[in-house]
Amino acid sequence: MEKTYNPKKIEEFLYNFWEKNGFFKPKYLKKPTFCIMMPPPNITGSLHMGHAFQQTIMDIIIRYNRMQGKNTLWQVGTDHAGIATQILVERKIYIQEHKTRQDYSRQDFIKKIWTWKKKANNVITKQMRRLGVSVDWQREKFTLDPDISAAVKEAFILLYQQNLIYQKKRLVHWDSKLETVVSDLEVEHRSVIGKMWFIRYPIYIENTFKKCTKYIVVSTTRPETILGDTAIAINKKHLKYSKFIGKYAISPLTNRKIPIIEDEYADLDKGTGCVKITPAHDFNDYQVGYRHKLPMISTFTFDGKIKNFSEVYDYKGKKSNFYDSYIPLQLQKLDILSARCKILEYLKNLNLIEKVEERNITIPYSERSGIIIEPILTNQWYLKTSKLSQEAIKSIKDKRIKFIPKQYENMFFSWMNNIEDWCISRQIWWGHRIPAWYDNKKNIYVGKNEKAIRQQYSIPKNIQLNQENDVLDTWFSSGLWTFSTLGWPKKTRLLKLFHSTDVLVSGFDIIFFWIARMIMLTMHFIKDKTGQSVVPFKQVYITGLIRDEHGQKMSKSKGNVIDPLDMIDGISLESLIKKRTQNLLQPSMSQTIVKNTIKTFPLGIAPTGTDALRFTFSALAANTRDIKWDMSRLLGYRNFCNKLWNASRFVLLNSQNHNFSCIVIKDEMLLVNKWILSECNDVIKFYRVSLDSYRFDLAANVLYEFIWNIFCDWYLEFVKSIICTCSEQDIYDTKNVLIHVLEVLLKLAHPIMPFITESIWQRVKLIKKISSKTIMLEPFPKYDVMLCNKQASLYVNWIKKIVVFIRNTRLKMNIKTNKLLSLFLFKTTDQQKIIIRHNMLWIKKIAFLDHIVLLKKTYTCKLAIKHIIDGSEIIIPMINVLDKELEIIKIKKELKKIGYRIFNLKKNISNVQFLRYAPEKVVLQKQMQLNELNTLYTQLSEQMNIFKNMKK
């Protein structure tokens, strides 16, 4: 082994060695099996800390189960990330070619994305390999692969045939920049200081020539929606306005006569207690409108402008002539915010604005484009989730799926019990195009392709069919992930062998996006022989969210993102600043980011290697929702890797040409060897319990404590003394134990730190003459009750305490190790005497003692350090150790200091004013301090006399 641990030199070499030899592949017929599905990362960028954290946890689980002899499959893949990918490629094309998507045909634009995808995917897979993930790369999937696309089509067709998919015009969250619907889960609600306008609505009077003198005042934060008003709702308990229920009001600008209805949605404690109802542009209004069968008036275009003419629909979404489509000419084609200003100007001129107030309001923003979301009435495809959700809820209640930690079940239930139908269509080009076709009469035909549809429905060639332009929501295809990747709809060997999968590792932020939808879709499509629904996974382990050292969410806009590879390989401050400030959506943040980066990483980031990073992730993986990243712990675990490397190097150097034999526990075996085997055995037990219960933080702590504090700091020191002092047989047995324990530790640590453990084990296997090619296929250590030895632990801990006491004494008295001490023991038990006699040689060596004496009577010399350890009196004589003149000088200085403190305390306590006004508690404390100092002064005076009477 090289003297210095250099992770860069071993990591890429070892990963290539593993992959080329096919160690990650499952055995297709072997049982028992173990399977994990990797949540497919988006192809839109490089892996971030969250990916690295979760993939490390998954790899620990996979390697742990593989070493237990299970047939493991870790299914890897990436997601096409519909909207995000299209945004990224459109931006790239605009920068490079000054063109937009509309400058290309749909087919040509998609070709450009595929070209970009190949490069992007290579970046992600390279990063995964650097992290050491032991996935079966030959089974890598992409959510737009032909076999996955076939599964998506099959799922859509079956759901449509079962009347679970339908098309309807409903209100959706609309992104006018991307011109597509976005999920309500992709809307960020921000609280801002905004304005609320109080607007007068005139009461309708039959005689239109008569001037109105009565008004209903309605408050709104969105005056532009006045164009789509179809009613005013009033609470029946409203003292001032309830008398108008059943009458009509005039909507300003359009002069539309709208009914005044009674509905409890009008909150007496909010605004004026009256609410204008705009069903086509507000979700709450949509519900009110549906209850009262109000028409819906759509006034906004898909690109965020005011229409030339409004579109009117009945409450079911069908075209209607209930109202005219009039929109004032001055407002037509204006963007929404400009239209707001114009409308407010008109209302002010008409004296219809009663007042304006500033207040906190909540505005929905698109997480995709960053613009304000507008609720818009559109025709979309929906999946009925009420029936599917019941099966999913039941699977959790029946404990067929367990959430770890358990509290996330409540989050799951709260959403599933209030679930609404899922809008599965998106108005983009990149994705799974919906397999539906329309004829010229807008009849819908769903099938695999146009040819199959014409055959199935006997549609002649002279009737033109046009395929639906919309694609499916990305989460629809990833919702089929656990079984589509295994070959469904075909009944493949893999599907039979590995489904249901064992555990899903994911973040709490996608419980609704992905986990719930996977459970619903899997249980609908996958059945066992008895027709029982099959769950996609048996356990869901929810990780916390990695935040920066200040507890802030890591984001590119904040400039606090840390690339995992920058910690593995290191990065200079200059390069880190450049990385954090390039392509910022808000360039004004650049100076702040530079300042914070210099403050946090003044010297850049030092390279630590993959194993240190993985160990840090494991140590931080507690059952908490938020996890603060800690660079100091990363550096500490880099030192831990060094410690393991150096300890292993010592073992290997001292085991050259050693003829290893199996460990046999014998009575005559040295106590420390029995002890280390017992301690190691306990570690196996606690470590396995921690991994089995997904407490990776506890597993890391158990391993760290044993390797650093027990194996390295104690056992290796014991071994050094044994090699120098003990018999050949003891040395041989010790080397056997040394190699055995090291290999056990390497196997235990391998799931967390695969590279360093493989590198060291490749050398250990030569000594042990092991034929296996890799540590990852070696059996994982098991707890052995026969190795448990509480007595050995008890007595070695007693010896350790004695050694620590001697070392502390040397430190306090400034006695160097080249000055050998004597150790006297008094009141020792018979067993303690046996332990000392049998282990005297190496104890003397490790503690730098010239001799150890078991006293029959107490030691009377006062110049000695005494201490009681486990009932035994430990005595270190100082009479021949210390320099007489030097010690007298030291004691005189100390006596002078203590005498001065005693004088001041006596003066304080004897002060009448102090005694009169000071609290009793303070007086008692001063008296106790004085007593303690007097005792210490007496003891030091006695020591002074002893030194003075010492003979030279």
Side-chain angles (χ1 to χ4, degrees):
M1 286 178 69
E2 293 185 5
K3 285 185 177 181
T4 307
Y5 167 57
N6 185 349
K8 193 172 183 67
K9 203 166 185 179
I10 65 172
E11 288 176 355
E12 291 190 60
F13 167 78
L14 283 175
Y15 196 89
N16 291 333
F17 164 69
W18 291 331
E19 189 177 346
K20 286 176 182 177
N21 281 277
F23 296 145
F24 304 153
K25 294 180 183 179
K27 310 292 186 294
Y28 289 119
L29 296 175
K30 185 184 173 185
K31 289 187 178 182
T33 61
F34 187 87
C35 182
I36 290 180
M37 292 285 165
M38 178 186 286
N42 294 346
I43 59 165
T44 51
S46 60
L47 297 183
H48 54 62
M49 288 285 279
H51 290 130
F53 175 50
Q54 289 181 359
Q55 288 178 12
T56 296
I57 296 301
M58 282 182 269
D59 196 46
I60 292 170
I61 298 170
I62 279 288
R63 288 177 184 270
Y64 174 52
N65 281 277
R66 186 186 286 123
M67 291 179 76
Q68 290 180 77
K70 295 178 185 176
N71 181 16
T72 59
L73 169 63
W74 187 4
Q75 178 62 56
V76 64
T78 47
D79 191 275
H80 65 279
I83 294 175
T85 301
Q86 185 159 310
I87 292 171
L88 193 148
V89 175
E90 281 192 87
R91 188 182 298 160
K92 187 179 178 69
I93 289 171
Y94 186 78
I95 292 169
Q96 293 178 349
E97 304 175 23
H98 300 291
K99 291 182 178 180
T100 67
R101 170 169 51 113
Q102 282 70 28
D103 292 319
Y104 294 91
S105 67
R106 181 175 187 143
Q107 189 175 1
D108 287 342
F109 180 74
I110 290 172
K111 279 181 182 178
K112 281 192 167 288
I113 298 181
W114 275 109
T115 302
W116 171 86
K117 181 261 174 191
K118 289 175 184 176
K119 295 178 182 177
N121 205 61
N122 289 339
V123 171
I124 292 173
T125 55
K126 182 183 177 183
Q127 288 177 311
M128 288 183 185
R129 286 177 165 91
R130 290 301 311 277
L131 284 170
V133 296
S134 55
V135 297
D136 183 1
W137 287 109
Q138 288 190 351
R139 288 201 43 75
E140 183 183 359
K141 297 292 181 183
F142 178 56
T143 48
L144 284 178
D145 281 346
D147 54 341
I148 305 294
S149 295
V152 171
K153 274 187 184 179
E154 182 74 10
F156 184 95
I157 293 166
L158 289 173
L159 290 166
Y160 183 80
Q161 290 171 350
Q162 295 160 3
N163 294 319
L164 291 172
I165 285 181
Y166 63 93
Q167 194 182 56
K168 187 177 180 180
K169 189 175 288 293
R170 289 174 63 175
L171 208 60
V172 295
H173 291 288
W174 189 263
D175 186 316
S176 57
K177 184 176 182 180
L178 304 177
E179 294 191 44
T180 180
V181 60
V182 294
S183 166
D184 53 350
L185 299 171
E186 296 168 304
V187 177
E188 181 187 355
H189 296 277
R190 301 179 196 168
S191 180
V192 299
I193 296 174
K195 291 183 178 179
M196 180 170 277
W197 291 270
F198 290 77
I199 300 170
R200 298 187 182 110
Y201 279 64
I203 300 298
Y204 172 75
I205 302 171
E206 289 294 336
N207 183 358
T208 55
F209 296 103
K210 188 176 180 181
K211 188 176 180 181
C212 176
T213 57
K214 295 179 180 179
Y215 299 91
I216 290 177
V217 179
V218 173
S219 59
T220 182
T221 58
R222 299 169 67 213
E224 62 275 12
T225 60
I226 284 175
L227 300 172
D229 288 346
T230 59
I232 291 177
I234 297 176
N235 193 300
K236 64 182 178 181
K237 296 179 182 178
H238 202 297
L239 296 176
K240 183 177 179 181
Y241 293 138
S242 59
K243 61 186 178 184
F244 294 123
I245 294 172
K247 298 184 182 296
Y248 291 88
I250 302 297
S251 179
L253 303 178
T254 61
N255 292 321
R256 187 181 299 126
K257 184 176 81 169
I258 57 175
I260 301 170
I261 61 174
E262 181 269 313
D263 198 284
E264 289 187 357
Y265 171 60
D267 191 338
L268 294 172
D269 298 323
K270 289 183 179 180
T272 64
C274 305
V275 184
K276 68 185 209 64
I277 304 301
T278 315
H281 295 292
D282 184 276
F283 286 97
N284 292 319
D285 292 3
Y286 179 84
Q287 297 296 330
V288 175
Y290 195 84
R291 283 197 295 272
H292 294 271
K293 299 182 179 179
L294 297 173
M296 300 183 288
I297 303 174
S298 176
T299 61
F300 299 162
T301 62
F302 290 147
D303 60 349
K305 293 183 171 65
I306 304 298
K307 291 179 177 179
N308 293 340
F309 300 97
S310 60
E311 294 180 15
V312 184
Y313 303 92
D314 67 14
Y315 74 103
K316 290 184 177 179
K318 293 181 180 178
K319 277 275 189 182
S320 169
N321 295 318
F322 193 89
Y323 287 121
D324 62 47
S325 58
Y326 170 71
I327 289 178
L329 180 64
Q330 298 91 329
L331 300 177
Q332 293 173 19
K333 296 183 181 178
L334 288 178
D335 67 80
I336 290 171
L337 291 180
S338 297
R340 174 185 291 183
C341 296
K342 203 76 172 173
I343 287 169
L344 289 171
E345 184 184 327
Y346 290 158
L347 292 173
K348 187 178 180 181
N349 292 336
L350 293 169
N351 196 31
L352 293 179
I353 298 179
E354 184 167 286
K355 62 177 179 176
V356 183
E357 290 182 358
E358 279 195 354
R359 60 179 62 189
N360 284 326
I361 60 175
T362 302
I363 297 180
Y365 284 85
S366 170
E367 287 186 344
R368 298 296 187 182
S369 66
I371 71 160
I372 295 173
I373 286 290
E374 292 293 343
I376 288 186
L377 204 62
T378 65
N379 211 36
Q380 301 289 341
W381 291 87
Y382 291 89
L383 172 62
K384 294 178 184 176
T385 50
S386 55
K387 181 182 176 182
L388 301 182
S389 65
Q390 294 309 307
E391 277 287 313
I393 291 169
K394 191 172 182 291
S395 70
I396 309 297
K397 289 183 175 179
D398 293 346
K399 300 191 184 306
R400 295 174 65 196
I401 300 176
K402 294 180 181 178
F403 273 83
I404 303 165
K406 188 175 170 53
Q407 69 255 26
Y408 287 106
E409 289 181 5
N410 295 327
M411 186 186 285
F412 176 84
F413 289 139
S414 67
W415 189 68
M416 293 296 281
N417 287 325
N418 299 288
I419 195 169
E420 294 186 2
D421 286 355
W422 175 13
C423 178
I424 57 174
S425 49
R426 298 291 182 267
Q427 289 65 53
I428 58 175
W429 288 352
W430 176 246
H432 296 279
R433 196 168 177 180
I434 291 174
W437 280 258
Y438 304 92
D439 61 18
N440 54 1
K441 295 181 179 179
K442 297 297 179 182
N443 293 313
I444 298 173
Y445 305 95
V446 170
K448 291 182 179 179
N449 51 53
E450 184 179 338
K451 184 179 178 182
I453 286 170
R454 288 187 183 277
Q455 288 178 348
Q456 184 179 351
Y457 296 99
S458 302
I459 301 172
K461 289 184 179 180
N462 63 333
I463 294 178
Q464 186 176 346
L465 293 179
N466 295 308
Q467 188 177 354
E468 169 68 75
N469 283 317
D470 291 357
V471 300
L472 287 165
D473 178 13
T474 303
W475 297 103
F476 186 89
S477 54
S478 57
L480 314 176
W481 190 246
T482 63
F483 56 95
S484 64
T485 52
L486 297 176
W488 185 88
K490 296 176 182 177
K491 295 181 180 179
T492 64
R493 181 174 55 180
L494 280 172
L495 189 63
K496 184 179 179 182
L497 196 60
F498 290 107
H499 204 280
S500 298
T501 65
D502 290 271
V503 60
L504 178 77
V505 177
S506 186
F508 64 83
D509 52 333
I510 59 171
I511 287 177
F512 314 133
F513 277 115
W514 191 44
I515 297 171
R517 289 165 175 172
M518 267 200 294
I519 296 172
M520 288 191 290
L521 290 170
T522 305
M523 295 188 73
H524 181 75
F525 286 115
I526 308 298
K527 311 290 182 185
D528 62 16
K529 292 178 181 178
T530 64
Q532 175 84 10
S533 294
V534 175
V535 295
F537 26 72
K538 303 175 187 77
Q539 293 177 312
V540 180
Y541 173 68
I542 300 293
T543 66
L545 181 70
I546 295 279
R547 296 183 178 273
D548 71 9
E549 62 275 13
H550 304 295
Q552 297 292 315
K553 186 176 180 180
M554 290 187 180
S555 70
K556 187 170 176 61
S557 60
K558 292 178 183 176
N560 61 349
V561 169
I562 306 174
D563 186 334
L565 293 191
D566 288 342
M567 290 181 286
I568 292 171
D569 295 328
I571 187 171
S572 67
L573 176 62
E574 184 183 0
S575 299
L576 184 59
I577 289 171
K578 184 179 179 182
K579 198 170 192 177
R580 287 184 162 190
T581 54
Q582 65 185 1
N583 300 324
L584 284 176
L585 294 175
Q586 297 174 295
S588 59
M589 288 292 294
S590 180
Q591 286 187 346
T592 303
I593 291 169
V594 170
K595 184 179 176 182
N596 291 338
T597 303
I598 294 171
K599 183 179 178 182
T600 309
F601 304 106
L603 301 174
I605 300 175
T608 60
T610 301
D611 287 321
L613 178 63
R614 286 171 62 112
F615 200 92
T616 309
F617 282 136
S618 183
L620 292 174
N623 286 344
T624 55
R625 185 160 176 160
D626 295 311
I627 299 169
K628 274 190 184 181
W629 181 249
D630 189 344
M631 287 299 293
S632 62
R633 288 188 76 172
L634 174 63
L635 296 174
Y637 293 133
R638 173 63 167 82
N639 294 337
F640 176 62
C641 291
N642 279 338
K643 188 86 168 179
L644 178 59
W645 183 268
N646 292 331
S648 303
R649 190 167 178 273
F650 168 81
V651 174
L652 294 167
L653 283 172
N654 284 279
S655 303
Q656 289 178 8
N657 304 318
H658 176 72
N659 186 19
F660 180 83
S661 61
C662 292
I663 302 297
V664 179
I665 306 295
K666 299 176 287 188
D667 290 340
E668 59 270 24
M669 179 183 275
L670 286 175
L671 176 70
V672 288
N673 289 330
K674 294 178 184 177
W675 163 74
I676 196 65
L677 290 170
S678 179
E679 293 288 315
C680 186
N681 196 41
D682 285 342
V683 167
I684 292 169
K685 180 181 180 180
F686 293 127
Y687 187 74
R688 291 188 69 136
V689 167
S690 300
L691 288 185
D692 289 338
S693 56
Y694 300 101
R695 289 304 304 269
F696 304 98
D697 55 331
L698 299 182
N701 290 338
V702 166
L703 205 58
Y704 182 93
E705 175 67 23
F706 183 78
I707 291 176
W708 191 296
N709 296 327
I710 296 178
F711 183 69
C712 293
D713 282 1
W714 281 108
Y715 184 64
L716 294 189
E717 292 305 309
F718 291 152
V719 169
K720 289 173 187 176
S721 300
I722 290 167
I723 289 173
C724 294
T725 60
C726 292
S727 68
E728 285 187 15
Q729 185 60 49
D730 285 339
I731 293 170
Y732 177 84
D733 290 342
T734 299
K735 288 183 177 181
N736 263 354
V737 172
L738 191 60
I739 295 163
H740 169 79
V741 172
L742 175 61
E743 190 191 19
V744 168
L745 293 180
L746 295 174
K747 288 180 179 179
L748 291 176
H750 179 74
I752 299 178
M753 302 189 295
F755 293 108
I756 191 171
T757 51
E758 179 74 90
S759 181
I760 297 167
W761 182 85
Q762 288 292 337
R763 294 163 170 90
V764 172
K765 83 168 193 174
L766 299 177
I767 296 170
K768 292 190 71 176
K769 296 180 175 59
I770 297 170
S771 59
S772 178
K773 289 184 177 180
T774 174
I775 191 174
M776 77 168 65
L777 299 180
E778 283 289 285
F780 202 78
K782 292 181 179 179
Y783 177 74
D784 184 353
V785 70
M786 298 300 293
L787 291 176
C788 185
N789 192 327
K790 299 298 180 187
Q791 286 292 315
S793 296
L794 183 69
Y795 290 117
V796 170
N797 285 336
W798 177 61
I799 293 171
K800 284 165 62 181
K801 290 175 189 176
I802 294 172
V803 173
V804 169
F805 173 65
I806 295 168
R807 287 175 177 173
N808 288 340
T809 300
R810 284 184 180 276
L811 192 64
K812 289 177 184 176
M813 307 299 286
N814 195 25
I815 303 168
K816 295 181 179 179
T817 54
N818 59 3
K819 182 70 174 177
L820 299 181
L821 301 176
S822 295
L823 175 66
F824 294 175
L825 294 102
F826 182 57
K827 293 183 181 178
T828 48
T829 65
D830 291 342
Q831 189 60 43
Q832 286 174 337
K833 289 174 183 175
I834 293 170
I835 296 301
I836 290 296
R837 290 190 184 110
H838 286 184
N839 297 278
M840 188 175 291
L841 289 174
W842 65 264
I843 293 174
K844 285 167 64 177
K845 182 72 177 175
I846 198 171
F848 297 97
L849 302 171
D850 58 355
H851 58 268
I852 301 173
V853 179
L854 294 167
L855 298 175
K856 293 183 179 180
K857 59 180 181 179
T858 188
Y859 185 75
T860 55
C861 180
K862 290 187 177 181
L863 192 63
I865 308 294
K866 296 182 180 181
H867 190 56
I868 305 296
I869 298 177
D870 295 346
S872 178
E873 187 175 340
I874 312 300
I875 305 156
I876 305 175
M878 291 285 118
I879 196 161
N880 295 318
V881 176
L882 302 173
D883 185 303
K884 174 183 173 179
E885 301 302 328
L886 187 62
E887 291 302 316
I888 289 173
I889 293 169
K890 284 166 62 178
I891 292 173
K892 279 182 178 179
K893 283 183 180 179
E894 193 65 27
L895 284 170
K896 188 176 180 181
K897 286 181 186 176
I898 294 170
Y900 182 73
R901 289 177 64 191
I902 289 171
F903 173 79
N904 285 332
L905 274 171
K906 280 182 177 179
K907 186 179 177 182
N908 203 347
I909 291 171
S910 62
N911 187 305
V912 176
Q913 294 297 320
F914 173 77
L915 293 172
R916 180 181 295 175
Y917 296 109
E920 185 180 351
K921 186 179 179 181
V922 174
V923 175
L924 287 172
Q925 283 177 346
K926 297 284 185 184
Q927 188 64 55
M928 287 175 64
Q929 287 176 19
L930 182 60
N931 293 338
E932 288 171 1
L933 287 171
N934 281 327
T935 302
L936 185 58
Y937 193 89
T938 302
Q939 289 173 350
L940 285 171
S941 297
E942 288 177 0
Q943 280 190 29
M944 172 79 83
N945 292 330
I946 292 168
F947 278 116
K948 284 180 178 179
N949 295 326
M950 277 173 60
K951 293 179 181 179
K952 288 187 179 179

